[in-house]
Amino acid sequence: MKYFTKEWYETCQNSGWHLNMAVSKNAEEFNEEYYRDLYIRRRRAFVKEQKEVAEVLGEAFNKAQAEVAFMKRHEETVKRMEESIPQTILAEVADTRVLALDIATKEVRQKLKAWCEGNMQEMHRVQKEYWEEVCPAQKDAVGEEIQKNFRFHDAVIRSMEMKGEELSFRLDASDVKKVIFKNYKILEQEGYLLGATWLYEEVYAVEGGNEYHVLLWKAGGKTAVLTVFAEDIVFVK
């Protein structure tokens, strides 16, 4: 990936921490009792929301499972914040657990907002450069039809088959159900790809065919890169 890299994707993920963040003086000092009360209130709201969704979908609802899901999501959010948010901001946070429940001091929220908005600007800058400059310049060489169809955002890879000179992927939740690379060569593949979610793609014309670059999301929140050279490509709808 040249534009939609792992680092760029991480920047995207760090562009919205401030959006639901409320300001409270209770976040100024570490207070275990306040945290526990806030946690219980947030968990109650989450469970209620999940119950309403289950009722609309006609599905069974399990309160205990919903509470466990909330606990895991909260723990993951705390971990992500501690790993992603700059230490210059975290140093002013009395309790990261409270921050992960969308409560901050006015000063922390202001700094978090400025950092996130900077990430948002960088996210849009990269997208604009690729879609408005790179793609038009590559259109004739790559092929307009390929640029139009090689877009599988949020599709899940359900199968991967190598047969002779063909590499094929069956995709779920995409208008294109199967993509076939002909006379291919895998240039880069990071681990097992079945079940991975397709995030972003890039296509570049090279001698003899095209290079197809893909950024994927795998279980556990890890990203992976796939790069394939192919002389031709077929889209099965």
Side-chain angles (χ1 to χ4, degrees):
M1 303 297 285
K2 300 179 181 180
Y3 289 85
F4 305 133
T5 62
K6 292 181 180 182
E7 293 74 20
W8 173 82
Y9 184 70
E10 186 64 24
T11 297
C12 298
Q13 298 301 101
N14 290 321
S15 63
W17 288 116
H18 65 295
L19 295 178
N20 297 315
M21 197 70 65
V23 170
S24 173
K25 288 186 174 296
N26 289 310
E28 293 178 355
E29 298 180 357
F30 184 92
N31 186 319
E32 186 66 26
E33 184 178 351
Y34 172 71
Y35 163 69
R36 294 308 307 174
D37 178 65
L38 178 64
Y39 178 91
I40 291 171
R41 285 189 281 118
R42 291 283 195 267
R43 184 180 64 186
R44 186 183 300 125
F46 176 83
V47 170
K48 180 182 177 182
E49 181 183 84
Q50 294 301 301
K51 183 179 180 180
E52 291 173 348
V53 170
E55 289 175 349
V56 170
L57 297 177
E59 298 176 348
F61 174 74
N62 186 304
K63 180 181 178 182
Q65 289 180 354
E67 290 182 342
V68 170
F70 178 81
M71 177 187 69
K72 290 181 177 179
R73 189 178 74 168
H74 175 58
E75 291 174 349
E76 290 171 359
T77 301
V78 172
K79 183 180 178 181
R80 281 189 57 219
M81 282 185 158
E82 291 177 341
E83 292 175 346
S84 304
I85 296 175
Q87 287 300 314
T88 52
I89 298 178
L90 290 178
E92 299 185 29
V93 177
D95 191 341
T96 312
R97 300 174 303 170
V98 172
L99 188 69
L101 293 172
D102 293 327
I103 297 293
T105 63
K106 181 179 179 180
E107 293 76 14
V108 167
R109 188 187 185 283
Q110 287 177 338
K111 292 183 178 181
L112 194 62
K113 181 174 182 288
W115 178 65
C116 287
E117 288 179 344
N119 289 334
M120 180 70 76
Q121 291 175 3
E122 176 61 11
M123 179 184 78
H124 289 317
R125 183 195 68 78
V126 171
Q127 287 177 321
K128 182 177 181 180
E129 184 174 350
Y130 180 75
W131 291 114
E132 296 184 11
E133 297 179 24
V134 176
C135 282
Q138 289 273 320
K139 185 176 69 174
D140 291 338
V142 168
E144 187 175 1
E145 192 67 18
I146 290 176
Q147 285 189 339
K148 177 182 177 181
N149 285 293
F150 194 70
R151 297 185 185 184
F152 308 124
H153 187 67
D154 282 346
V156 177
I157 296 178
R158 293 305 184 191
S159 71
M160 176 179 178
E161 182 180 8
M162 300 175 184
K163 188 175 181 180
E165 299 298 319
E166 294 184 355
L167 167 66
S168 64
F169 289 94
R170 183 170 61 85
L171 304 169
D172 190 16
S174 169
D175 290 339
V176 174
K177 300 306 178 185
K178 191 174 185 180
V179 58
I180 304 170
F181 299 95
K182 292 180 173 290
N183 298 322
Y184 75 96
K185 181 178 180 181
I186 295 178
L187 304 178
E188 182 178 11
Q189 178 182 334
E190 295 183 321
Y192 192 68
L193 300 183
L194 292 186
T197 300
W198 194 292
L199 295 175
Y200 296 93
E201 62 282 304
E202 302 169 17
V203 188
Y204 300 96
V206 295
E207 184 176 354
N210 292 324
E211 273 188 14
Y212 300 87
H213 298 237
V214 185
L215 181 67
L216 301 157
W217 183 91
K218 301 172 71 173
K222 295 182 179 180
T223 51
V225 171
L226 171 69
T227 307
V228 178
F229 163 82
E231 291 183 11
D232 198 5
I233 188 170
V234 175
F235 303 100
V236 181
K237 297 185 179 182

PDB file of all heavy atoms in Angstrom, residues 6 25 37 44 52 59 77 118 121 140 155 161 179 189 209 211 233:
ATOM      1  N   LYS A   6      -1.183   0.904   6.748  1.00  0.00           N
ATOM      2  CA  LYS A   6      -1.584   0.583   8.122  1.00  0.00           C
ATOM      3  C   LYS A   6      -1.524   1.828   8.995  1.00  0.00           C
ATOM      4  O   LYS A   6      -2.399   2.040   9.847  1.00  0.00           O
ATOM      5  CB  LYS A   6      -0.675  -0.502   8.704  1.00  0.00           C
ATOM      6  CG  LYS A   6      -0.802  -1.866   8.068  1.00  0.00           C
ATOM      7  CD  LYS A   6       0.132  -2.845   8.759  1.00  0.00           C
ATOM      8  CE  LYS A   6       0.020  -4.230   8.150  1.00  0.00           C
ATOM      9  NZ  LYS A   6       0.901  -5.199   8.847  1.00  0.00           N
ATOM     10  N   LYS A  25     -16.189  17.875  35.877  1.00  0.00           N
ATOM     11  CA  LYS A  25     -15.148  18.113  36.873  1.00  0.00           C
ATOM     12  C   LYS A  25     -14.784  16.833  37.616  1.00  0.00           C
ATOM     13  O   LYS A  25     -13.730  16.746  38.245  1.00  0.00           O
ATOM     14  CB  LYS A  25     -15.613  19.198  37.857  1.00  0.00           C
ATOM     15  CG  LYS A  25     -15.651  20.606  37.278  1.00  0.00           C
ATOM     16  CD  LYS A  25     -15.968  21.632  38.334  1.00  0.00           C
ATOM     17  CE  LYS A  25     -15.874  23.048  37.790  1.00  0.00           C
ATOM     18  NZ  LYS A  25     -14.485  23.390  37.374  1.00  0.00           N
ATOM     19  N   ASP A  37     -19.609   3.895  39.527  1.00  0.00           N
ATOM     20  CA  ASP A  37     -20.976   4.371  39.291  1.00  0.00           C
ATOM     21  C   ASP A  37     -21.179   4.703  37.807  1.00  0.00           C
ATOM     22  O   ASP A  37     -22.210   4.351  37.218  1.00  0.00           O
ATOM     23  CB  ASP A  37     -21.241   5.622  40.143  1.00  0.00           C
ATOM     24  CG  ASP A  37     -22.632   6.192  39.916  1.00  0.00           C
ATOM     25  OD1 ASP A  37     -23.616   5.502  40.244  1.00  0.00           O
ATOM     26  OD2 ASP A  37     -22.731   7.313  39.385  1.00  0.00           O
ATOM     27  N   ARG A  44     -25.650  -0.167  31.892  1.00  0.00           N
ATOM     28  CA  ARG A  44     -27.111  -0.277  31.892  1.00  0.00           C
ATOM     29  C   ARG A  44     -27.683   0.262  30.582  1.00  0.00           C
ATOM     30  O   ARG A  44     -28.585  -0.339  29.988  1.00  0.00           O
ATOM     31  CB  ARG A  44     -27.689   0.497  33.080  1.00  0.00           C
ATOM     32  CG  ARG A  44     -29.204   0.328  33.256  1.00  0.00           C
ATOM     33  CD  ARG A  44     -29.715   1.176  34.406  1.00  0.00           C
ATOM     34  NE  ARG A  44     -29.076   0.785  35.652  1.00  0.00           N
ATOM     35  CZ  ARG A  44     -28.421   1.625  36.469  1.00  0.00           C
ATOM     36  NH1 ARG A  44     -28.274   2.906  36.125  1.00  0.00           N
ATOM     37  NH2 ARG A  44     -27.898   1.194  37.591  1.00  0.00           N
ATOM     38  N   GLU A  52     -33.256  -3.655  23.005  1.00  0.00           N
ATOM     39  CA  GLU A  52     -34.178  -3.051  22.036  1.00  0.00           C
ATOM     40  C   GLU A  52     -33.849  -3.518  20.624  1.00  0.00           C
ATOM     41  O   GLU A  52     -34.752  -3.778  19.827  1.00  0.00           O
ATOM     42  CB  GLU A  52     -34.092  -1.521  22.140  1.00  0.00           C
ATOM     43  CG  GLU A  52     -34.657  -0.979  23.446  1.00  0.00           C
ATOM     44  CD  GLU A  52     -34.412   0.516  23.601  1.00  0.00           C
ATOM     45  OE1 GLU A  52     -33.616   1.077  22.806  1.00  0.00           O
ATOM     46  OE2 GLU A  52     -34.986   1.114  24.532  1.00  0.00           O
ATOM     47  N   GLU A  59     -34.762 -11.411  17.849  1.00  0.00           N
ATOM     48  CA  GLU A  59     -33.746 -12.341  18.327  1.00  0.00           C
ATOM     49  C   GLU A  59     -33.812 -12.485  19.843  1.00  0.00           C
ATOM     50  O   GLU A  59     -34.340 -11.622  20.542  1.00  0.00           O
ATOM     51  CB  GLU A  59     -32.346 -11.844  17.923  1.00  0.00           C
ATOM     52  CG  GLU A  59     -32.138 -11.748  16.422  1.00  0.00           C
ATOM     53  CD  GLU A  59     -30.789 -11.165  16.073  1.00  0.00           C
ATOM     54  OE1 GLU A  59     -30.130 -10.634  16.989  1.00  0.00           O
ATOM     55  OE2 GLU A  59     -30.401 -11.221  14.891  1.00  0.00           O
ATOM     56  N   THR A  77     -11.282  -0.554  24.739  1.00  0.00           N
ATOM     57  CA  THR A  77     -11.200   0.886  24.520  1.00  0.00           C
ATOM     58  C   THR A  77     -10.113   1.505  25.386  1.00  0.00           C
ATOM     59  O   THR A  77      -9.340   2.353  24.921  1.00  0.00           O
ATOM     60  CB  THR A  77     -12.550   1.562  24.820  1.00  0.00           C
ATOM     61  OG1 THR A  77     -13.562   1.003  23.981  1.00  0.00           O
ATOM     62  CG2 THR A  77     -12.479   3.061  24.580  1.00  0.00           C
ATOM     63  N   GLY A 118      -6.765  16.936  13.650  1.00  0.00           N
ATOM     64  CA  GLY A 118      -5.556  16.874  12.838  1.00  0.00           C
ATOM     65  C   GLY A 118      -5.465  15.542  12.099  1.00  0.00           C
ATOM     66  O   GLY A 118      -5.090  15.489  10.922  1.00  0.00           O
ATOM     67  N   GLN A 121      -7.953  15.555   9.196  1.00  0.00           N
ATOM     68  CA  GLN A 121      -7.429  16.303   8.048  1.00  0.00           C
ATOM     69  C   GLN A 121      -6.451  15.461   7.245  1.00  0.00           C
ATOM     70  O   GLN A 121      -6.465  15.459   6.012  1.00  0.00           O
ATOM     71  CB  GLN A 121      -6.770  17.594   8.532  1.00  0.00           C
ATOM     72  CG  GLN A 121      -7.741  18.623   9.078  1.00  0.00           C
ATOM     73  CD  GLN A 121      -7.048  19.829   9.663  1.00  0.00           C
ATOM     74  OE1 GLN A 121      -5.818  19.936   9.621  1.00  0.00           O
ATOM     75  NE2 GLN A 121      -7.813  20.751  10.223  1.00  0.00           N
ATOM     76  N   ASP A 140      -6.343   5.278 -17.743  1.00  0.00           N
ATOM     77  CA  ASP A 140      -6.163   4.682 -19.065  1.00  0.00           C
ATOM     78  C   ASP A 140      -5.293   3.434 -19.009  1.00  0.00           C
ATOM     79  O   ASP A 140      -5.563   2.436 -19.687  1.00  0.00           O
ATOM     80  CB  ASP A 140      -5.557   5.705 -20.024  1.00  0.00           C
ATOM     81  CG  ASP A 140      -6.524   6.824 -20.351  1.00  0.00           C
ATOM     82  OD1 ASP A 140      -7.743   6.613 -20.190  1.00  0.00           O
ATOM     83  OD2 ASP A 140      -6.062   7.914 -20.757  1.00  0.00           O
ATOM     84  N   ALA A 155     -16.372  -5.983   2.543  1.00  0.00           N
ATOM     85  CA  ALA A 155     -16.658  -7.356   2.116  1.00  0.00           C
ATOM     86  C   ALA A 155     -15.755  -8.307   2.904  1.00  0.00           C
ATOM     87  O   ALA A 155     -14.636  -7.968   3.285  1.00  0.00           O
ATOM     88  CB  ALA A 155     -16.416  -7.520   0.624  1.00  0.00           C
ATOM     89  N   GLU A 161      -8.707 -19.504  -3.405  1.00  0.00           N
ATOM     90  CA  GLU A 161      -8.350 -20.705  -4.162  1.00  0.00           C
ATOM     91  C   GLU A 161      -7.266 -20.398  -5.185  1.00  0.00           C
ATOM     92  O   GLU A 161      -7.366 -19.432  -5.937  1.00  0.00           O
ATOM     93  CB  GLU A 161      -9.582 -21.271  -4.872  1.00  0.00           C
ATOM     94  CG  GLU A 161      -9.308 -22.556  -5.636  1.00  0.00           C
ATOM     95  CD  GLU A 161     -10.548 -23.088  -6.337  1.00  0.00           C
ATOM     96  OE1 GLU A 161     -11.579 -22.373  -6.349  1.00  0.00           O
ATOM     97  OE2 GLU A 161     -10.481 -24.209  -6.868  1.00  0.00           O
ATOM     98  N   VAL A 179     -13.717 -12.580  -7.306  1.00  0.00           N
ATOM     99  CA  VAL A 179     -12.727 -11.888  -8.117  1.00  0.00           C
ATOM    100  C   VAL A 179     -11.617 -12.883  -8.453  1.00  0.00           C
ATOM    101  O   VAL A 179     -11.157 -13.635  -7.583  1.00  0.00           O
ATOM    102  CB  VAL A 179     -12.165 -10.643  -7.383  1.00  0.00           C
ATOM    103  CG1 VAL A 179     -11.533 -11.013  -6.049  1.00  0.00           C
ATOM    104  CG2 VAL A 179     -11.150  -9.922  -8.255  1.00  0.00           C
ATOM    105  N   GLN A 189       1.831 -11.140   1.235  1.00  0.00           N
ATOM    106  CA  GLN A 189       0.639 -11.646   1.921  1.00  0.00           C
ATOM    107  C   GLN A 189       0.973 -11.831   3.389  1.00  0.00           C
ATOM    108  O   GLN A 189       1.885 -12.576   3.732  1.00  0.00           O
ATOM    109  CB  GLN A 189       0.169 -12.981   1.333  1.00  0.00           C
ATOM    110  CG  GLN A 189      -1.057 -13.558   2.068  1.00  0.00           C
ATOM    111  CD  GLN A 189      -1.484 -14.906   1.518  1.00  0.00           C
ATOM    112  OE1 GLN A 189      -1.238 -15.231   0.362  1.00  0.00           O
ATOM    113  NE2 GLN A 189      -2.141 -15.703   2.350  1.00  0.00           N
ATOM    114  N   GLY A 209       0.849  -5.954 -16.765  1.00  0.00           N
ATOM    115  CA  GLY A 209      -0.436  -6.089 -16.072  1.00  0.00           C
ATOM    116  C   GLY A 209      -0.636  -5.001 -15.039  1.00  0.00           C
ATOM    117  O   GLY A 209      -0.214  -3.858 -15.236  1.00  0.00           O
ATOM    118  N   GLU A 211      -0.785  -4.100 -10.577  1.00  0.00           N
ATOM    119  CA  GLU A 211      -0.557  -4.490  -9.194  1.00  0.00           C
ATOM    120  C   GLU A 211      -1.782  -4.097  -8.387  1.00  0.00           C
ATOM    121  O   GLU A 211      -2.253  -2.959  -8.474  1.00  0.00           O
ATOM    122  CB  GLU A 211       0.681  -3.804  -8.616  1.00  0.00           C
ATOM    123  CG  GLU A 211       1.964  -4.535  -8.870  1.00  0.00           C
ATOM    124  CD  GLU A 211       3.138  -3.926  -8.109  1.00  0.00           C
ATOM    125  OE1 GLU A 211       2.897  -3.114  -7.185  1.00  0.00           O
ATOM    126  OE2 GLU A 211       4.283  -4.246  -8.452  1.00  0.00           O
ATOM    127  N   ILE A 233      -7.815  -9.581 -14.771  1.00  0.00           N
ATOM    128  CA  ILE A 233      -8.677  -9.788 -13.624  1.00  0.00           C
ATOM    129  C   ILE A 233     -10.114  -9.945 -14.120  1.00  0.00           C
ATOM    130  O   ILE A 233     -10.534  -9.311 -15.100  1.00  0.00           O
ATOM    131  CB  ILE A 233      -8.568  -8.615 -12.624  1.00  0.00           C
ATOM    132  CG1 ILE A 233      -9.322  -8.936 -11.326  1.00  0.00           C
ATOM    133  CG2 ILE A 233      -9.066  -7.311 -13.236  1.00  0.00           C
ATOM    134  CD1 ILE A 233      -9.048  -7.916 -10.210  1.00  0.00           C
TER     135      ILE A 233
END
